[in-house]
Amino acid sequence: MQILIINGPNLNLLGKREPEIYGSQTFEDYFQQLKTDFTSVELEYFQSNHEGAIIDKIHEVGFHYKGIVINPGAFTHYSYAIYDALKSVTTPAIEVHISDIENREPFRRISVIQEACLQQIKGKGLAGYDEAINFFVNRSLKS
């Protein structure tokens, strides 16, 4: 079972960027923990600050992976191109946000990506990624 985790702009700075909101752990360290916790899953991690690179990655895996876990960062609020990419592929996606975007600045409360995803997980810190991966694992066990 292959699952791709995509993080968008500025998420390469986790552990340094606003730790009061995003925590002090780097995503690279957290990803190693995920790989230890989910040994039955082939996890891949991709981060980019560039919208086109994210779209290219979705196209690359979007017809043969079991799931995409995506935190589009700021692209959440305006990237219809990422929305279209997710709608164009057969691999299902789950949108994850470390913070609760409903309780942030007004512009962050809007997700144009949400309708292209099976669900949105927000405000659970890095544990939201665990929840998304578990969703795909449990879904696979039921099929």
Side-chain angles (χ1 to χ4, degrees):
M1 165 181 259
Q2 294 174 298
I3 296 174
L4 171 65
I5 298 171
I6 299 175
N7 276 340
N10 301 309
L11 291 166
N12 57 307
L13 297 177
L14 287 177
K16 297 176 187 172
R17 173 190 180 200
E18 300 176 282
E20 67 281 1
I21 296 172
Y22 300 104
S24 57
Q25 187 174 23
T26 68
F27 196 83
E28 290 74 14
D29 288 344
Y30 179 68
F31 184 65
Q32 293 309 312
Q33 178 185 328
L34 287 174
K35 287 172 40 176
T36 299
D37 293 346
F38 292 97
T39 55
S40 65
V41 179
E42 186 179 325
L43 292 173
E44 181 181 340
Y45 172 53
F46 178 77
Q47 187 280 326
S48 181
N49 295 317
H50 305 281
E51 183 179 36
I54 292 171
I55 292 166
D56 289 343
K57 193 66 173 178
I58 292 167
H59 291 175
E60 178 186 321
V61 306
F63 294 95
H64 58 278
Y65 276 35
K66 288 291 184 186
I68 296 171
V69 177
I70 184 166
N71 182 340
F75 292 136
T76 300
H77 317 296
Y78 65 88
S79 181
Y80 292 103
I82 292 176
Y83 168 91
D84 285 343
L86 291 170
K87 293 292 280 185
S88 297
V89 299
T90 56
T91 298
I94 295 177
E95 178 184 1
V96 171
H97 297 284
I98 297 167
S99 66
D100 183 353
I101 61 174
E102 296 294 322
N103 291 313
R104 303 268 320 264
E105 303 91 337
F107 76 90
R108 291 190 197 274
R109 298 175 190 161
I110 298 166
S111 171
V112 301
I113 307 296
Q114 186 174 5
E115 289 185 24
C117 297
L118 295 175
Q119 65 175 294
Q120 181 188 73
I121 300 168
K122 59 185 182 278
K124 296 185 177 184
L126 293 174
Y129 293 88
D130 288 82
E131 186 175 324
I133 295 166
N134 271 316
F135 176 90
F136 285 124
V137 168
N138 292 332
R139 184 176 192 213
S140 180
L141 292 174
K142 292 177 185 176
S143 0

